[in-house]
Amino acid sequence: MRRDHLITAKQLSREDVESVLDRAAEFDADPAAFGDRHPDAVLGLCFFEPSTRTKMSFETAIKRLGGDAVDMGTVESSSVKKGESLADTARVVAGYADALVLRHPSQGAAKMVSEFVDVPLLNGGDGAGHHPTQTLLDLYTIRENAGLDDLTIGIMGDLKYGRTVHSLAHALTNFDASQHFVSPESLRLPRSVRYDLHEAGANVREHTELGEILPALDVLYVTRIQRERFPDENEYQEIAGEYGIDLETLEDAKDDLTVMHPLPRVDEIAPEVDDTEYAAYFEQAHNGVPVRMALLDQLLEGDE
Ligand code: NCD
């Protein structure tokens, strides 16, 4: 991949994805063996929204490559509190770092900031927009568990506000995948995403009931209802808890179904599923380290 910004999964070709995933597999095999790859590299972390996995796995990844991270900290503890603009904050942190990760509640924030910074900017989630680095670790997990070709995947939950879904759906158009979207009518994929998928020639179906498609699935990707993005809390309450799975639900699934979730989960997957062969969501979260190592390694290579 080029030394470039990564804003949406639409930028990722099949070759881009495969080269990151292949490199990630090398890091995964022995993550502690690469501590002298980028000894002087600094990664800037600008998170304007809560994060556990994305932030900590990026931090672990840069440290495993021998580099270090500088973290803006919380909005409360940073100069954002004094009224500094997003563009100014990002420009300043970009001056301390070789690459930046940005997470922000506004859709389009990463694209906007990328025009102000001259180091690679990685979108760590922009509102209900995109989350392309999550997609890379999702694809890695799918490849390891089910393979990326001849794949039948169900993607369930909040398809309207779920940025991991938007990015994953785009990226899957590079592969031979049938995508089945399962959600209440009110949380269908946004029209713009449906349009893009159609333009990319994606094989897509929409459902309101998981049961209609579950027996055919190789992968079921469950998502959290994005409560914080609902303009009206009542709307959230109306559908909260409706799209969950437990062992009973999975009785109709293939024996080798892989259940994924970007996490955090609220109540979409009953804990009784965790200890079954279906569950891949903790492994998925752990894959964030080798995959982000691979991505950073490619971005930083040009610096050597
Ligand atoms: C996701 C996100 O932030 O979009 N979390 C993550 O990065 N793994 C999913 C979510 O918050 O539901």
Side-chain angles (χ1 to χ4, degrees):
M1 209 184 316
R2 306 99 11 222
R3 281 193 84 244
D4 217 345
H5 306 304
L6 180 56
I7 309 298
T8 85
K10 282 189 253 180
Q11 291 168 252
L12 297 170
S13 68
R14 184 178 176 127
E15 292 68 36
D16 290 333
V17 170
E18 284 175 343
S19 77
V20 175
L21 269 45
D22 291 346
R23 189 77 176 118
E26 293 171 31
F27 290 129
D28 203 5
D30 193 359
F34 299 89
D36 53 5
R37 283 286 302 161
H38 300 285
D40 302 317
V42 176
L43 181 65
L45 303 172
C46 296
F47 281 70
F48 291 77
E49 266 193 345
S51 173
T52 304
R53 278 148 288 272
T54 304
K55 189 157 124 173
M56 293 186 74
S57 63
F58 262 117
E59 200 171 337
T60 309
I62 192 71
K63 289 182 175 169
R64 290 256 189 234
L65 292 170
D68 212 342
V70 286
D71 183 354
M72 176 194 102
T74 63
V75 168
E76 286 298 305
S77 70
S78 72
S79 287
V80 176
K81 193 72 188 155
K82 299 182 190 168
E84 185 168 56
S85 72
L86 171 58
D88 281 1
T89 302
R91 215 167 356 189
V92 170
V93 181
Y96 306 147
D98 301 297
L100 278 191
V101 186
L102 175 76
R103 170 170 289 187
H104 197 275
S106 305
Q107 193 165 340
K111 174 91 188 75
M112 186 280 279
V113 166
S114 71
E115 281 155 24
F116 289 89
V117 295
D118 52 12
V119 298
L121 181 105
L122 303 172
N123 181 6
D126 61 323
H130 290 270
H131 194 348
T133 72
Q134 174 73 37
T135 293
L136 289 168
L137 72 95
D138 292 343
L139 294 174
Y140 185 83
T141 310
I142 294 171
R143 191 169 84 165
E144 294 271 290
N145 285 274
L148 277 164
D149 280 310
D150 195 19
L151 172 75
T152 303
I153 183 170
I155 304 183
M156 179 169 87
D158 188 344
L159 312 180
K160 180 178 180 182
Y161 297 117
R163 55 197 176 194
T164 69
V165 172
H166 304 160
S167 289
L168 179 60
H170 278 298
L172 283 171
T173 64
N174 287 312
F175 300 91
D176 174 21
S178 315
Q179 304 192 54
H180 294 267
F181 295 100
V182 184
S183 73
E185 190 66 35
S186 61
L187 295 180
R188 282 176 73 192
L189 282 177
R191 190 190 297 267
S192 61
V193 176
R194 274 184 281 140
Y195 177 81
D196 284 346
L197 294 178
H198 177 74
E199 287 288 287
N203 180 356
V204 167
R205 297 272 302 274
E206 293 182 277
H207 311 260
T208 51
E209 301 297 329
L210 177 63
E212 290 170 17
I213 187 64
L214 180 64
L217 300 181
D218 303 309
V219 172
L220 174 60
Y221 188 97
V222 184
T223 65
R224 174 178 72 88
I225 308 293
Q226 308 279 300
R227 182 177 193 162
E228 67 277 28
R229 312 229 185 272
F230 278 65
D232 176 358
E233 172 72 15
N234 291 329
E235 258 181 61
Y236 168 77
Q237 293 300 344
E238 269 165 35
I239 37 115
E242 259 186 57
Y243 281 75
I245 60 163
D246 55 20
L247 287 182
E248 200 185 325
T249 325
L250 294 178
E251 269 168 18
D252 293 332
K254 285 187 189 170
D255 289 343
D256 62 353
L257 172 75
T258 299
V259 175
M260 296 174 56
H261 191 306
L263 302 178
R265 78 174 140 184
V266 181
D267 53 7
E268 311 80 50
I269 302 179
E272 62 188 20
V273 181
D274 298 359
D275 295 325
T276 68
E277 293 283 310
Y278 300 120
Y281 28 96
F282 289 109
E283 168 195 334
Q284 182 184 353
H286 296 154
N287 288 337
V289 174
V291 170
R292 288 179 169 123
M293 283 174 78
L295 186 61
L296 292 171
D297 187 51
Q298 291 190 351
L299 287 176
L300 295 167
E301 227 152 32
D303 285 350
E304 248 118 71

